[in-house]
Amino acid sequence: KVINKFTVPIKYCNQCGGLTTLKIPHGDNLPRVVCENCGFIQYENPRVIVGCIPEWKDQILLCKRAIEPRLGFWTLPAGFLENNETTQEGALRETKEEANASATIIDVFSLIDIPHINQVYLLYRAKLEDANFSATFESSDVALFDESSIPWDDIAFAAIKKSLKRYFSDKRSGTFSLHAETINVSTLKKHRIGS
Ligand code: ZN
């Protein structure tokens, strides 16, 4: 199994601007981006994507993407966790930024590893504080959906589609629980969905 495969090559040191090279530092066991000039090691690690499943009565809120990637497809409000914020703060911030909506966290719902693209999703169930939401710079449309009206063929990301399926399945059963799962290349092929 290949681990620590770099998605974007890093050519220059972010400390001194020197040229970098890939090598296994002394005492380490994986190749790293190392500066040939100053020796600085630029570690690369997976990114955390946080978001909400915002509920309003029997519906949930989705955003139609106004930006790439997956422009025009629907998704839950979610985005990269920022430094110095908690995952819950990040999930609520993304809901504000992408849907202009205020919500409160109910509980953690979905933890999804996507190792081949170095991502971890953490999604919370959340309750909208009111029915006020609107399109934003990042979302050309924001709307409420029940299970039968979800645009299943136009969901932007595999992790979001998987989480929505679990959500409505849990909702029917009457019990919500945490779903920890992995999406890999073979899962995507099987379900013919984009990452
Ligand atoms: Zn350097």
Side-chain angles (χ1 to χ4, degrees):
K1 186 187 175 192
V2 180
I3 55 171
N4 207 18
K5 195 174 62 179
F6 293 86
T7 47
V8 180
I10 297 171
K11 199 172 170 187
Y12 299 106
C13 174
N14 68 13
Q15 299 295 297
C16 78
L19 282 172
T20 62
T21 185
L22 262 189
K23 67 177 179 190
I24 301 175
H26 181 68
D28 204 337
N29 55 9
L30 290 173
R32 309 287 179 188
V33 175
V34 181
C35 177
E36 291 180 348
N37 182 46
C38 75
F40 183 75
I41 304 169
Q42 267 167 260
Y43 292 97
E44 287 233 288
N45 299 92
R47 292 180 178 201
V48 180
I49 293 160
V50 291
C52 284
I53 304 175
E55 301 174 347
W56 181 251
K57 295 176 179 167
D58 253 0
Q59 297 181 298
I60 59 141
L61 179 142
L62 294 179
C63 303
K64 191 174 192 178
R65 291 180 61 80
I67 51 173
E68 293 289 358
R70 307 292 278 164
L71 191 154
F73 286 78
W74 291 86
T75 189
L76 290 165
F80 293 113
L81 181 65
E82 298 286 0
N83 290 343
N84 304 118
E85 82 180 344
T86 67
T87 54
Q88 295 195 10
E89 286 167 350
L92 296 176
R93 173 183 52 74
E94 290 290 342
T95 305
K96 193 74 190 170
E97 286 175 5
E98 297 189 356
N100 204 18
S102 298
T104 51
I105 299 289
I106 300 171
D107 205 354
V108 61
F109 181 71
S110 198
L111 172 60
I112 300 182
D113 292 303
I114 318 182
H116 71 283
I117 51 170
N118 309 322
Q119 292 183 349
V120 177
Y121 273 76
L122 189 60
L123 301 176
Y124 287 92
R125 282 195 300 127
K127 190 176 167 50
L128 287 178
E129 285 173 8
D130 50 49
N132 293 323
F133 50 80
S134 60
T136 62
F137 175 76
E138 295 175 50
S139 309
S140 60
D141 194 7
V142 178
L144 294 170
F145 295 88
D146 54 28
E147 184 176 7
S148 62
S149 64
I150 296 267
W152 290 109
D153 293 336
D154 295 317
I155 300 298
F157 305 107
I160 301 297
K161 192 166 186 175
K162 212 172 188 34
S163 298
L164 289 172
K165 294 274 186 196
R166 299 283 184 233
Y167 173 84
F168 286 109
S169 167
D170 274 16
K171 190 176 158 86
R172 280 195 301 275
S173 77
T175 309
F176 289 101
S177 53
L178 171 63
H179 299 270
E181 308 185 65
T182 299
I183 291 175
N184 51 38
V185 179
S186 59
T187 325
L188 294 174
K189 279 185 185 146
K190 199 167 108 194
H191 298 286
R192 294 201 181 93
I193 40 181
S195 61

